[in-house]
């Protein structure tokens, strides 16, 4: 597997992002290893809050949430998915798969970091991958919160907005990462913030993971990972630990996707599910401090 590694200087001087990088080596699935980057802030003795990003962002997305959670006494772990941020980037689209992303993140969270008593939060692909981790090793997780995500099995057609996005990701001759993130916010990001989202990708050769990821979402029942997602749903339907939905009010891609979680998961019953107002797909940008407060309250009320 040929991999690319974004030069460190691309990450210098990013606005509001003065966090120390940490790295771990995980198996790449074909006999080699990949270097995965993560942030690790707050007291090492505290129970971890695991924040997973999705497409096409990276750990920078959580910059306005990390310090409020640390101030509330939590250890905050924010990985970069393989292909994003400071993590290694396999160069070919065929190097990536939904299953490999699950394996890569499992290796980091379970094997390298050996996390337990985890509060998990995932948005976008952070949910699609993270919920598979939750159902693989439920005992490691204390509670779960999700926003603007899903766990599709292909049995229901995704929204028209998602199908248009999937088509664009595969067919557009250009793939402007920073502009894509900005377009998924109600907040108008500054030029410097847009550049920060572009930082991991010096040129198009680094974007194989970002390009291919939307195509892995299960949109038909015979998609490769549809059976595994159905199995995960079966386990979630037995999940009695606290489960919180905190979706935004202005995301056309995932609008209404919280309803199955609220209805089918025992741990979601009676929780203070929250709709974050004035926020689009990237709720961390539009309502980051508010979302951090929701998570802190969720942890405090269920501890």
């Amino acid at each position: 597997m040929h991999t690319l590694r974004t030069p460190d200087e691309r990450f210098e001087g990013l606005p509001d992002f003065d966090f120390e990088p940490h790295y771990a080596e995980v198996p790449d699935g074909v006999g080699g290893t990949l270097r995965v980057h993560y942030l690790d802030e707050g007291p090492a003795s505290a129970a971890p809050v695991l924040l997973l990003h999705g497409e096409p962002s990276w750990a920078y997305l959580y910059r306005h949430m990390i310090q409020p959670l640390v101030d509330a006494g939590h250890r905050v772990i924010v990985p970069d998915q393989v292909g994003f941020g400071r993590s290694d980037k396999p160069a070919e689209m065929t190097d990536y798969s939904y299953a490999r992303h699950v394996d890569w993140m499992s290796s980091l969270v379970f094997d390298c970091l050996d996390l337990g008593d985890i509060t998990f939060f995932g948005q976008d692909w952070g949910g699609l991958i993270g919920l598979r981790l939750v159902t693989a090793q439920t005992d490691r997780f204390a509670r779960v919160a999700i926003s603007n995500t899903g766990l599709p099995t292909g049995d229901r057609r995704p929204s028209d907005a998602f199908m248009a996005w999937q088509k664009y990701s595969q067919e557009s001759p250009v793939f402007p990462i920073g502009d894509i993130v900005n377009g998924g916010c109600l907040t108008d990001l500054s030029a410097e913030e847009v550049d920060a989202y572009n930082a991991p990708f010096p040129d198009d050769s680094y974007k194989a993971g970002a390009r291919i990821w939307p195509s892995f979402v299960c949109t038909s029942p015979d998609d490769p990972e549809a059976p595994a997602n159905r199995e995960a749903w079966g386990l979630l339907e037995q999940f009695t630990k606290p489960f919180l939905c905190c979706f935004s009010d202005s995301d056309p891609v995932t609008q209404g996707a919280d309803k199955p979680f609220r209805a089918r998961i025992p741990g979601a019953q009676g929780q203070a599910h929250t709709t974050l107002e004035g926020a689009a797909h990237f709720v961390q940008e539009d309502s980051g401090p508010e979302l951090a407060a929701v998570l802190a309250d969720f942890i405090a009320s269920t501890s």
Side-chain angles (χ1 to χ4, degrees), residues 7 11 19 69 130 160-162 164 186 238 282:
F11 301 99
F19 301 108
L69 288 167
D160 290 341
F162 174 77
L186 293 185
Q238 304 172 46
F282 294 105

Side-chain angles (χ1 to χ4, degrees), residues 31-171:
T33 61
L34 294 165
R35 191 181 77 166
V36 177
H37 166 258
Y38 62 98
L39 304 178
D40 189 345
E41 297 290 320
S45 60
V49 179
L50 175 65
L51 308 176
L52 284 190
H53 74 82
E55 162 83 0
S57 58
W58 60 288
Y60 186 75
L61 181 68
Y62 285 103
R63 68 196 181 281
H64 297 310
M65 295 178 59
I66 294 170
Q67 195 58 51
L69 288 167
V70 170
D71 291 344
H74 304 297
R75 179 186 180 190
V76 183
I77 308 289
V78 190
D80 282 331
Q81 307 270 9
V82 170
F84 298 83
R86 288 180 178 259
S87 290
D88 282 350
K89 299 167 183 67
E92 300 297 329
M93 290 188 187
T94 52
D95 293 330
Y96 296 86
S97 71
Y98 190 162
R100 278 187 174 171
H101 272 291
V102 173
D103 288 344
W104 291 331
M105 197 49 57
S106 296
S107 293
L108 175 69
V109 173
F110 301 149
D111 302 331
C112 298
L113 299 180
D114 192 23
L115 299 182
D117 197 21
I118 303 166
T119 296
F120 167 68
F121 173 81
Q123 177 261 345
D124 192 270
W125 266 99
L128 274 74
I129 292 172
L131 291 173
R132 291 276 293 272
L133 269 61
V134 169
T135 54
Q137 297 200 31
T138 303
D139 289 348
R140 289 181 180 264
F141 293 85
R143 63 190 61 80
V144 171
I146 58 170
S147 179
N148 299 351
T149 190
L151 191 62
T153 60
D155 298 306
R156 295 183 179 181
R157 176 181 167 82
S159 67
D160 290 341
F162 174 77
M163 296 304 293
W165 157 242
Q166 189 182 64
K167 185 175 188 292
Y168 171 85
S169 71
Q170 302 308 295
E171 298 180 3

Side-chain angles (χ1 to χ4, degrees), residues 3-26:
T3 60
L4 303 173
R5 183 170 293 173
T6 305
D8 287 341
E9 56 265 26
R10 297 275 302 181
F11 301 99
E12 294 176 357
L14 302 184
D16 302 317
F17 199 70
D18 187 20
F19 301 108
E20 179 183 355
H22 300 265
Y23 299 98
E25 297 284 333
V26 306

